[in-house]
Amino acid sequence: QVDLVESGGGLVQPGGSLRLSCATSEFTLDDYYIGWFRQAPGKEHEGVSCLSESDGITYYADSVKGRFTISADNAENTVYLHMSNLKPEDTAVYYCAATPYSTVEDGGDMIAAEFDYWGQGTQVTVSS
C-alpha cells in the first residue's frame, strides 16, 4: 500500500505562485515514479510533472515547462511541485500519484492509467 497525502492548494491571482506537497514513505520515494496530474472540470487527467529518484528522470508537460518545478526532499519523504507565473488555465484539482513504471522512462508522456496510487486531490484556483 502506497499512501500519498497532498497539501498546499488554494486561490491565487494570475502571475502568482503556489507550492504543492505530497507526503509519502521513503520506500515509495526510492522505488516509484511520483508525480502530479491535474483535472479541470469536464476534462481528462493531464500529466503535469513527475520524477524518479532511482532513475534520475524528471518530466514536465509542455504546458508547464519553465513555470513549474518538481523536487523531492528525501529527509521529509515529500515531493513538491513549485508553481509560478500561474495562469487561469492552471485551475484544476491536482492529484499526487505513484507508479513503479512510467512510459516517461522511455521518453513518453505521463499516462494516468499507469499510475496505481493516487492522493485525494487538492484544488488550485487561479483567478483575479
Side-chain angles (χ1 to χ4, degrees), residues 18-19 21 24 41 45 79-80 91 95 107 119 123 126:
L18 275 178
R19 188 184 74 169
S21 302
T24 184
H45 286 96
V79 173
Y80 298 101
T91 296
Y95 296 91
Q123 177 70 46
V126 184

Side-chain angles (χ1 to χ4, degrees), residues 8-12 18 20 122-126:
L11 173 64
V12 63
L18 275 178
L20 304 182
T122 185
Q123 177 70 46
V124 172
T125 302
V126 184

Side-chain angles (χ1 to χ4, degrees), residues 8-102:
L11 173 64
V12 63
Q13 292 187 342
S17 300
L18 275 178
R19 188 184 74 169
L20 304 182
S21 302
C22 177
T24 184
S25 70
E26 63 178 300
F27 303 106
T28 304
L29 211 56
D30 290 341
D31 299 332
Y32 287 74
Y33 279 80
I34 301 178
W36 296 88
F37 286 84
R38 65 186 181 187
Q39 187 173 31
K43 295 189 176 181
E44 297 183 353
H45 286 96
E46 175 191 10
V48 174
S49 180
C50 70
L51 60 76
S52 167
E53 290 276 276
S54 58
D55 294 342
I57 293 173
T58 303
Y59 166 91
Y60 295 99
D62 288 343
S63 58
V64 305
K65 280 181 182 176
R67 300 189 298 121
F68 290 12
T69 302
I70 192 169
S71 63
D73 184 330
N74 291 289
E76 298 293 328
N77 297 324
T78 300
V79 173
Y80 298 101
L81 186 67
H82 304 260
M83 306 184 294
S84 61
N85 191 20
L86 283 161
K87 305 175 181 180
E89 51 263 43
D90 294 318
T91 296
V93 178
Y94 283 70
Y95 296 91
C96 182
T99 179
Y101 170 76
S102 169

